[in-house]
Amino acid sequence: MIRPHRTLGLALLAVLAACGPADRKASSLSPANRPQPGATGATANFAPNDPPGEWRRQARDYANTRFSPLEQIGVGNVARLKMAWSFSDGIPYGHEAAPLVVGDTMFVVTPYPNVAYALDLSKPGAPIKWTYQPHPDPIAVGKACCDAVNRGPTYADGKLVFTLLDGEAVALDANTGKPAWRVRLGQPASGMTITMSPLVVGNAVLVGNSGGEMGVRGQLTALDLSTGKELWRGYSTGPDADVKIGADYHAPYPWLAGKDLGASSWPGDAWQRGGGTVWGWISYDPDLNLIYEGTSNPSPRVPAQRPGDNLWSSAVFARDPKTGSVHWGFQFTPHDQWDYDGVNENILIDGPIGGQTRKLLVHLDRNGFGYTLDRSTGRIVVAKPFAPLNWAKGIDPATGRPIVDPDKEAKVEEKVSNICPTHIGSKDWQPAAFSPRTGLIYADIFNICMDLTDHKVGYIPGTPYDGMDLTTHAGGKTNKWGEFIAWNPLTGERAWSIPETFMTMSGVLATAGDLVFYGTTDGWFRAVDARNGKVLWSQKLSSGITSQPMTYLGPDGRQYVAVVAGVGGVASQVMGSKNGFPPRGGTLYVFSIDGVSPGSGPGMLTTQGSKAPGAVYNAPD
Amino acid sequence: MRAMTLRLALTLLATVALGACSRSHGDSVTGPAATQLPADATLHSIPMGAPPGEPVSIAGRIANPFAGNAQAVAEGKQLFGAMNCVYCHGAQGSGLIGPALNGSGWRYGGTPAELFNSIHDGRPQGMPAWGARLPPDQIWKLVAYLQSLGDASNQPSTTGPQAADQDPADSAHQGLIAAQRAR
């Protein structure tokens, strides 16, 4: 029964290969990546220029564009997208990761208990090649503020690298699933967890931490890719030596110059419990040899207990990946009063500003401002609201500091009504994408405001260092909690937008087929014309989408689009009991044109088992 | 309304919170001195996993010496804020990082003794052990507060300002104090 189908598959492979786009080895710098008429002129460096059909890290490239050069699926045929196959992991926690594809293998890492699967894409139904069960400490489940999530693995040099909720990082042999090393970076009993996806630069695995709601001190650690040995660690708060501010440092603005600002901008030793955790994305510019790392809200969340700017919380660092040395640091929200973490992705693009091509960093912050910084200096090029906000009246161009509206400052035992955006910001961690064909940034954002009352809070290790007492509501009179926007990073203006009734909290995928893909928390997966915002295809999935879509070429030469449904995280905390909000449960969906794949079609397809022995590696508890 | 109630509770507390946090085992014990507390050994002999509500185990036979004591319930409520329970379990125990504690079901049993043990010894998925920080009488007061929540949730809420204040459209966000946070 299987043989005829395999023959068909091989025939198709031959046809597609002959047509060109199926060549998995072709350079990613194809004409498909070039700006099209009407584009803003912004482009990007797609290093490390992985094979175009692969997806080796969550953001695909170092610049964090989430742009794929694949174009088999485009505006002309995307309406024929249908499910090809699916994979369920049976886990109820929020799913926030993208699967990876390297060669003929897909890698999936689940939320807690952080099980890793390798799926053999060369076989019908993509059978499991190996499984790794790390058995992280269950204590972490009750310490993670916002659900026991994980933002996915990364692939480098034959290893699959990812983090475990209980504060560990692990590297597996990608071929066999056998652990190469496993390293603990902090104690979950103290409130530290890890949810972020590591980035590998050279031999350095860069791993941050979570726990900014529990008084955990932010840190970024570099581990040796081959051994897991610690190379360096840079903290987000404390004296310059701990932060790794030294001779390389150049302040983008005068208020960011001075000795030990990470300690002196706090009362007493409060910086030791000051948050600034590193739970978002890291990007890398190989030309400047700098990594870019955002930091979380300060701890406690109640600002009355920590007068000062609270550096380097709600900020971004540019560091040398070899040493951790800080080249510049910029704080988006000094003395954050609203939980506006600075962890959102920093997308590295190059674009014309006043007739000159500049090296830029685009960052849509939780605080509602869309920043375009000069990534060599950390100085602001553009800073304009990408969503309605009222906590600040603008950004002072001389200092880069927000001009705070005193009416919207948080107060102890006094309710402040209708602060926009709410604590999770105008946009949370869910990463935007960039298309060089349009020169636009595409993002899932929120339209949510809050009524806030602060209470003073005591520090008890391993418990929330919190104090924010809030209720949320949709902004304006729209009752639209979400929105998908196209943003011009060179001018700070929207090109177009699609309002959504439910929160939009997925990553975005952009492709050379002029498509952008995003999901909604009520479970719609959509494909949109990147040029004009026209919705070309929608599919309702089994649960809400808070993960990151990706695309790849299968071993059969066909382009697939994959996304995980499995709502959770802050989306469920904020909207979980709203009428129409879907239940939890993680399932990976893989789509192709007409749903054709080795995992679907006429005849009786069966699981063939995998090339590898189907090994299960169980870490000792 | 829930937020209001919480605010009131925490207002009372704000001044004692920081002091209470550093309180160590053996600090002066408040509350009626005459109250006879169940013995430690008895409590620790309670097996895990007996179905809640079935008094087959010894757990069902141990009463909370503070049950229904209004002053103890009020003190328990204060502790629920000062010990940061509220930021894990939500206003009035409605559930957040940790499970709901308002009588809508128990993972480790809902008898007073089982609640005591949950708080005293902690539970594996992130519930801290408070035995080292709080003396037994304070833990029993927390239990008394939790018992009062269970009672309240079983009553029809048709009268009083609480019921009138509820906006059904926004019920999703009631009690989401401090709930949604960054990471």
Side-chain angles (χ1 to χ4, degrees):
Chain A
M1 294 299 279
I2 293 159
R3 195 166 295 135
H5 185 73
R6 286 178 75 192
T7 315
L8 177 68
L10 286 173
L12 258 171
L13 179 64
V15 171
L16 288 167
C19 296
D23 182 0
R24 309 179 86 211
K25 305 256 147 48
S27 159
S28 66
L29 300 173
S30 70
N33 293 12
R34 297 215 186 102
Q36 301 299 298
T40 67
T43 183
N45 176 356
F46 296 96
N49 297 308
D50 294 329
E54 300 198 355
W55 198 277
R56 295 186 172 194
R57 61 188 68 64
Q58 294 296 303
R60 189 163 197 280
D61 47 46
Y62 291 144
N64 274 235
T65 68
R66 290 173 164 81
F67 175 79
S68 162
L70 300 184
E71 53 189 351
Q72 282 182 28
I73 300 172
V75 292
N77 62 358
V78 69
R80 285 165 47 203
L81 221 51
K82 286 204 169 55
M83 192 186 90
W85 56 277
S86 65
F87 177 80
S88 178
D89 64 16
I91 292 175
Y93 302 115
H95 286 64
E96 298 189 346
L100 304 183
V101 169
V102 183
D104 292 354
T105 307
M106 175 180 281
F107 299 99
V108 174
V109 171
T110 73
Y112 176 89
N114 306 133
V115 179
Y117 295 100
L119 307 180
D120 186 346
L121 297 175
S122 69
K123 293 278 164 67
I128 296 172
K129 227 162 114 175
W130 54 255
T131 303
Y132 173 69
Q133 296 173 331
H135 301 291
D137 188 337
I139 190 178
V141 175
K143 304 297 181 188
C145 71
C146 315
D147 207 3
V149 301
N150 180 282
R151 295 194 194 82
T154 191
Y155 173 91
D157 202 18
K159 292 195 177 66
L160 190 73
V161 187
F162 56 100
T163 59
L164 309 181
L165 189 68
D166 69 346
E168 298 179 87
V170 61
L172 309 179
D173 180 322
N175 279 324
T176 64
K178 233 174 133 165
W181 50 261
R182 178 170 171 170
V183 171
R184 172 162 296 289
L185 293 149
Q187 295 302 331
S190 74
M192 196 188 106
T193 50
I194 305 186
T195 57
M196 59 89 74
S197 179
L199 183 75
V200 177
V201 173
N203 73 328
V205 180
L206 303 163
V207 188
N209 64 348
S210 304
E213 273 59 51
M214 300 231 173
V216 170
R217 186 184 180 198
Q219 67 186 38
L220 181 69
T221 310
L223 303 172
D224 187 310
L225 177 61
S226 45
T227 62
K229 215 180 119 251
E230 186 169 320
L231 302 172
W232 55 260
R233 178 175 294 186
Y235 289 93
S236 305
T237 67
D240 286 349
D242 291 12
V243 182
K244 293 199 167 289
I245 289 180
D248 294 332
Y249 182 78
H250 296 285
Y253 296 95
W255 61 279
L256 294 165
K259 200 174 151 20
D260 296 334
L261 293 179
S264 63
S265 60
W266 295 83
D269 68 350
W271 53 267
Q272 293 191 12
R273 306 172 290 280
T277 53
V278 184
W279 58 271
W281 306 103
I282 300 167
S283 41
Y284 171 56
D285 178 340
D287 296 329
L288 295 174
N289 193 32
L290 291 175
I291 55 162
Y292 300 92
E293 156 215 358
T295 67
S296 86
N297 62 289
S299 257
R301 292 212 296 181
V302 174
Q305 290 174 249
R306 44 173 171 79
D309 278 348
N310 311 135
L311 288 159
W312 298 85
S313 64
S314 299
V316 54
F317 285 124
R319 292 184 190 269
D320 181 323
K322 280 236 154 51
T323 62
S325 177
V326 176
H327 281 234
W328 58 259
F330 175 74
Q331 190 179 39
F332 300 108
T333 312
H335 185 60
D336 165 48
Q337 309 182 47
W338 310 271
D339 195 17
Y340 296 157
D341 302 50
V343 296
N344 292 356
E345 71 288 355
N346 298 301
I347 303 177
L348 312 184
I349 62 168
D350 302 321
I353 299 278
Q356 238 192 329
T357 300
R358 301 272 297 271
K359 289 179 185 298
L360 304 169
L361 173 159
V362 184
H363 171 95
L364 303 186
D365 196 78
R366 295 224 319 199
N367 73 16
F369 287 96
Y371 293 85
T372 301
L373 306 182
D374 181 320
R375 71 173 179 271
S376 326
T377 64
R379 284 182 68 89
I380 290 179
V381 176
V382 180
K384 288 198 186 155
F386 63 88
L389 60 86
N390 63 19
W391 69 277
K393 294 176 168 156
I395 304 289
D396 179 346
T399 62
R401 290 174 73 98
I403 304 155
V404 174
D405 182 341
D407 289 347
K408 300 298 177 189
E409 295 203 78
K411 297 189 179 58
V412 174
E413 306 308 334
E414 193 183 315
K415 180 163 143 183
V416 181
S417 295
N418 197 40
I419 302 172
C420 308
T422 188
H423 62 305
I424 56 172
S426 299
K427 175 184 167 298
D428 201 357
W429 63 270
Q430 70 273 16
F434 168 76
S435 169
R437 292 176 57 92
T438 58
L440 297 172
I441 300 277
Y442 301 91
D444 266 18
I445 70 165
F446 308 138
N447 173 39
I448 314 176
C449 304
M450 66 177 160
D451 298 343
L452 172 67
T453 308
D454 273 2
H455 310 292
K456 287 206 171 168
V457 62
Y459 178 67
I460 305 174
T463 75
Y465 197 27
D466 190 328
M468 278 174 88
D469 178 355
L470 64 96
T471 56
T472 51
H473 55 268
K477 295 198 177 79
T478 60
N479 209 26
K480 299 274 185 197
W481 292 64
E483 193 167 12
F484 182 63
I485 64 166
W487 175 254
N488 182 335
L490 304 181
T491 62
E493 286 157 356
R494 288 179 178 204
W496 46 260
S497 96
I498 304 171
E500 291 274 2
T501 304
F502 285 80
M503 282 168 73
T504 36
M505 203 171 178
S506 79
V508 181
L509 162 69
T511 73
D514 281 331
L515 295 173
V516 277
F517 291 84
Y518 75 97
T520 70
T521 54
D522 58 329
W524 288 99
F525 187 39
R526 305 196 200 281
V528 175
D529 189 323
R531 299 164 301 187
N532 53 32
K534 199 169 160 215
V535 179
L536 301 174
W537 174 83
S538 295
Q539 167 89 57
K540 186 73 163 65
L541 303 184
S542 52
S543 178
I545 303 164
T546 51
S547 68
Q548 305 167 58
M550 55 79 79
T551 187
Y552 67 95
L553 279 190
D556 56 350
R558 222 176 253 118
Q559 183 184 354
Y560 295 89
V561 173
V563 72
V564 178
V567 79
V570 288
S572 292
Q573 290 176 343
V574 172
M575 284 199 97
S577 41
K578 196 176 159 76
N579 189 8
F581 199 86
R584 291 167 177 263
T587 306
L588 164 75
Y589 291 91
V590 180
F591 300 91
S592 65
I593 297 299
D594 297 330
V596 181
S597 85
S600 56
M604 197 182 97
L605 306 173
T606 56
T607 304
Q608 286 184 21
S610 165
K611 281 184 290 201
V616 177
Y617 292 96
N618 256 299
D621 278 312
Chain B
M1 195 60 212
R2 271 180 177 171
M4 271 261 279
T5 317
L6 175 79
R7 181 170 56 208
L8 265 173
L10 291 183
T11 309
L12 290 168
L13 259 183
T15 45
V16 297
L18 293 164
C21 295
S22 55
R23 183 196 302 278
S24 62
H25 204 28
D27 268 6
S28 71
V29 167
T30 53
T35 309
Q36 190 62 44
L37 302 177
D40 256 21
T42 321
L43 285 165
H44 287 110
S45 70
I46 295 171
M48 286 272 301
E54 278 182 33
V56 286
S57 81
I58 185 169
R61 296 198 296 273
I62 298 174
N64 180 355
F66 295 109
N69 175 333
Q71 194 201 327
V73 169
E75 283 181 44
K77 183 172 184 168
Q78 287 187 354
L79 281 167
F80 197 72
M83 293 298 117
N84 294 341
C85 320
V86 67
Y87 298 111
C88 279
H89 288 289
Q92 296 181 332
S94 55
L96 280 175
I97 297 177
L101 304 175
N102 53 13
S104 52
W106 298 100
R107 293 183 186 177
Y108 300 101
T111 63
E114 285 163 322
L115 294 178
F116 180 95
N117 281 351
S118 283
I119 301 168
H120 186 277
D121 299 342
R123 296 299 186 193
Q125 294 204 47
M127 167 65 182
W130 294 89
R133 188 176 288 267
L134 297 174
D137 73 307
Q138 295 200 3
I139 295 181
W140 283 114
K141 287 171 187 169
L142 279 162
V143 173
Y145 171 60
L146 297 185
Q147 286 178 285
S148 80
L149 293 179
D151 291 343
S153 68
N154 290 334
Q155 280 167 16
S157 58
T158 46
T159 55
Q162 289 233 12
D165 226 42
Q166 292 279 351
D167 174 4
D170 201 32
S171 62
H173 312 295
Q174 294 291 336
L176 270 182
I177 68 108
Q180 316 97 355
R181 27 181 85 96
R183 256 136 206 102

